[in-house]
Structure formats: structure tokens, C-alpha cells
Amino acid sequence: MALHIREAWILLFVLPGLVTPAAINHEDYPADEGDQASSNDNLIFDDYRGKGCVDDSGFVYKLGERFFPGHSNCPCVCTEDGPVCDQPECPKIHPKCTKVEHNGCCPECKEVKNFCEYHGKNYKILEEFKPSPCEWCRCEPSNEVHCVVADCAVPECVNPVYEPEQCCPVCKNGPNCFAGTTIIPAGIEVKVDDCNICHCHNGDWWKPAQCSKRECQGKQAL
């Protein structure tokens, strides 16, 4: 009985040594993701150096062919040293341009500023406006604002007033002038006191009135 047990232990230690790596069939086990990824790294891509040129989309051009490498590039010629591209002198972009496209060899202006900006407000081309009662302005095609300021005539009175939305002052009571501290109407003689009669200068309303003394009318005694 003890002999059989000893032989069984010997078999347990000997059998694992008989199983070698060659005895395991790797086809029975799927490769893990790491092994599969490493196999893809060994792909061989064509080398077009000295044979052709490739654009941005992967299209191959022969030596001597003319092509556009990308949407925003200038035309190129495929050479053994690679693409040789044109470098034209592009026209200058208008300083008032508000929208520029770069889809071609040269940038292109697609929209030019068509308004004027004046004191924080925008106005259309040829639009006329009055920023103040004394100013008349217009938005010019050059996107600049030209204004004219009203030149008011000298008022014909010494007490002109400014009406709302009017630029120049007006004489609401007609022409007049000063006779001392009294304002008298123009065009007539005015008796300013018991001894003086005054009238305004014709056309020179800012000058003091001309006065002449007459016989004073004494007050009757009470």
C-alpha cells in the first residue's frame, strides 16, 4: 500500500515536465488586441519621393503635372524635389472690405463696407441726416461723412430766441434795438420818456437807438 502511494507522487512530479511549449497549439487561443495592433504597424506604404507628388486629399500626380495641393494653395508643378508652387503678387484687399475669402491662390474680397459710421450710428450710402439742428450731413460712397454747418445771419433784434429743432435764432417780435435799457421796435419813433424820442438805426439793429430831445412836458402842479 505504501509503495503505490509513493509511485503516485513520482508521477505527479514527472508529468508536468513532459508538457512542452511545442505541445500547445496557439491556434486554439485568440491573439489579444495588443498583438493585433502591433501587426498593423508593419504595413508598408508607397514612397513617392522622386516619382510623384501627393495633394492634401492623397491624390498622386506624376512628375511635370500641374496641380493644386489644397483648396487655399496656389498652383504647383510636381518635380523630383517636390511641388514647386507659383507665388503671384496678389492684389491688395480694399481697406473697407468686411469679408475676405481665402479659398483661392489669392485672398478675395467678397463684401465691402457699404455704410458710414458717425458718432456711433450707421448710415447708408448717400443717406442724408441732421446730427444737430445746424448740421446737414451725407454718407458718401467713400464711406466718409461730409457735413455742412449752417451759417446763420446776424439777427435783427437784441433779444433773439432759439426755437426747438431750429438752427438759427429768430426775432419773435420783429426787429428792435436798445434805447438805453429799453427795447424799442424798429421802423418807428418811440417816446421813451417825457423828453426823448428814439428810433433804431436802419439795418444796424445792434447799435443803440438814435434819440433826440424834445420840449419836456412838465407835470401839472397839484
Side-chain angles (χ1 to χ4, degrees):
M1 181 69 178
L3 180 62
H4 290 299
I5 293 174
R6 182 179 178 183
E7 292 176 350
W9 279 105
I10 293 174
L11 288 174
L12 288 174
F13 283 104
V14 172
L15 285 176
L18 297 176
V19 180
T20 63
I24 300 176
N25 187 358
H26 290 282
E27 295 180 357
D28 295 336
Y29 299 92
D32 57 18
E33 295 181 359
D35 295 337
Q36 291 178 353
S38 62
S39 63
N40 293 334
D41 296 337
N42 297 325
L43 295 178
I44 299 176
F45 295 95
D46 293 334
D47 186 359
Y48 293 102
R49 288 177 295 182
K51 303 176 184 179
C53 302
V54 184
D55 64 8
D56 292 351
S57 60
F59 193 86
V60 180
Y61 294 87
K62 298 178 182 179
L63 295 179
E65 276 193 287
R66 191 176 180 85
F67 70 103
F68 290 86
H71 294 294
S72 60
N73 298 93
C74 297
C76 303
V77 176
C78 182
T79 69
E80 293 184 355
D81 297 326
V84 177
C85 304
D86 295 338
Q87 296 295 329
E89 185 176 351
C90 296
K92 294 183 179 179
I93 299 296
H94 194 284
K96 300 293 184 179
C97 185
T98 57
K99 183 179 180 182
V100 181
E101 284 190 359
H102 299 275
N103 294 331
C105 180
C106 292
E108 185 178 359
C109 180
K110 290 296 183 181
E111 185 176 330
V112 178
K113 181 180 176 182
N114 59 351
F115 62 90
C116 299
E117 186 175 352
Y118 189 77
H119 292 175
K121 294 184 179 181
N122 294 337
Y123 300 93
K124 298 179 181 178
I125 299 297
L126 301 181
E127 182 179 356
E128 298 178 356
F129 57 97
K130 293 186 67 176
S132 70
C134 289
E135 288 181 288
W136 175 86
C137 302
R138 185 174 73 171
C139 175
E140 301 293 344
S142 61
N143 303 111
E144 296 179 352
V145 175
H146 289 173
C147 297
V148 175
V149 179
D151 186 12
C152 296
V154 178
E156 297 181 345
C157 60
V158 294
N159 56 350
V161 294
Y162 286 87
E163 296 287 351
E165 302 302 323
Q166 289 189 2
C167 173
C168 299
V170 295
C171 296
K172 297 189 69 173
N173 298 319
N176 56 38
C177 68
F178 276 113
T181 58
T182 304
I183 297 176
I184 62 173
I188 61 173
E189 291 185 343
V190 178
K191 186 178 180 181
V192 295
D193 56 32
D194 292 338
C195 301
N196 295 293
I197 295 178
C198 304
H199 69 276
C200 297
H201 290 271
N202 292 329
D204 297 333
W205 317 113
W206 62 91
K207 293 182 179 180
Q210 290 180 328
C211 297
S212 59
K213 281 191 176 185
R214 301 290 177 90
E215 183 178 350
C216 296
Q217 295 181 356
K219 296 182 179 180
Q220 295 180 355
L222 294 177

